[in-house]
Amino acid sequence: MQRLSALLLLALGTCATGAHANIRCEFNGKSVNPSNGAETAGLTGLLRCRDENTGQLQREQELKDGKYLGRERFFDREGKLTRERSVNERGNSQGRVAEFWPNGQLKREEFAENGGTVGAVRRFDANGRPERLSFHAAGQEQFAIEYNAAGQPTRLQCPRASVLPEDRKPCGLEGAADTLLYTGAGTRAGQVRYDQGRLLLSTEWTSDGVVAQQMLYEEGRRVHRSFFTEGGKSVLREERIFAPDEPQRFLRDTRGPLHSLRRFGSTGQLIEQHGYANGREVLLERWYLNGAARERSTMTGNGEATRIQRELRDDEGRLRRRELLTAEQFPTGAQQQFHANGRMAQEDRYTAPYARGRTRLEARRQWDESGKLMADDTILEDGSRQRKAGGLDS
C-alpha cells in the first residue's frame, strides 16, 4: 500500500509541477489544472489527463463537489492501464487496489480499509501465474505462500485458524501436513510440517541437497540444529535445546532460556556440552577430538555468590588442573595442579572475594613427582613469600 501511495504522489507531482509539459488535464472538454483548487472547486465528474503529443490517456480521477473522491486510474506512456483504486474523503485507498502488467494481466490485487490492507493480497506474474498469496488482519500478515514460475511453493507462513481456502491443506488445518519448499530455479530448498497452523518442523537444504539447518519440537521443547557438509554428507555441528516455553514461542524464535547446548566436531563427535537450569548455565563439558575428556566445569550459586568448579585434563584424559573461580573468573579457595602420574604438583590458596570481587594469593605448596613436599609458602600482601622453616619431607 505504501508503494502504491508513493507512485500516486509521484504521478500527481508530475502534473502539478509541470515536469512533463505535454500532459494536459481536462474536465468535460475544458482544460483544468488539477493542482489549482480554484479550478476544480465544485466539480463533480471525471478528470482526464492525456499526453498532448500522443493523445494517450495518462490518468483519470473522479471528482465530487471539487474533492478527489472515488475512482483513480493510471496509465503508462502507451495508454495501458497500470493501476487503479478508489479513495475516500481522507484521500486514502478504500476498496479494491490493483496493478497491471503491460500486457493487461493482473499483477497485484488487494483490498483496503482507509489506507490499511485487509483480507487477501494476490500477486501474479506477467503470464497470470500466482506468485504470492497473503492475508492481512489487524495490521498484520497472518498467512503467506509464495510460488516459483513452476507453481512450486518457495515460502509458507501459516495462521492458527483458516483465513483462506488455500491455507487449509498446507497449514495442516485438515491434519498434519508436510510441504516441500523450492528455490526460484526449482531445486529443493527445504521442508516444513504444520499441524493446525502450528509449525512443528522446518528443514533447510544447501544447494547440494544436504541438510543445512533443522528446527523441530521434541518433548515440548524447541530444538535447533545446524549442520555443515563433510564429504558430501550433512554433519551435525550444533544443537540447541530450549527450555519449555510459557507462553510458547514460535519454532523459529532463537530467543528464550536454554536447556542444553551441544557442539560437534567434523566427524560428528561431541566436543562441547552446556547444561542450564532456570535460565543459567550450570554445567560445561569439553572433549578433545580424540574423544578424551578436556574440561568439566560446574556452576553453583547465583550472582556474586556464583562459584565455578573446573577440572582440566590433557589429551590422554589425565587430570592436570582443578580450580575454583568466582563469577568474575577470579580464583578463590584451592587451586590444584597435578603431575602426569596423577600426584599433586602444586596447590595455591586464594582469599575470598573482597573489593570489586578480586581475590589474592595467600599460600602455595609444591611437590615433586614422588609426592615429596618441596615448598610450603605463605604469600604476603606485597607478593613476597614467607617459607615455612619446618614441615618439608626429608
Side-chain angles (χ1 to χ4, degrees), residues 299-312:
M299 299 76 169
T300 57
N302 288 302
E304 295 182 357
T306 297
R307 294 293 179 268
I308 305 169
Q309 182 71 56
R310 178 179 296 161
E311 291 185 350
L312 302 173

Side-chain angles (χ1 to χ4, degrees), residues 32-43 66 68:
V32 174
N33 182 354
S35 62
N36 187 337
E39 295 189 24
T40 58
L43 297 181
Y68 291 104

Side-chain angles (χ1 to χ4, degrees), residues 34-53:
S35 62
N36 187 337
E39 295 189 24
T40 58
L43 297 181
T44 298
L46 198 60
L47 176 73
R48 291 185 172 91
C49 300
R50 299 179 181 274
D51 187 319
E52 287 188 322
N53 295 326

Side-chain angles (χ1 to χ4, degrees), residues 102-114:
N103 63 2
Q105 287 280 2
L106 180 62
K107 182 177 184 179
R108 188 174 187 273
E109 179 184 62
E110 68 174 75
F111 293 84
E113 182 68 37
N114 194 29

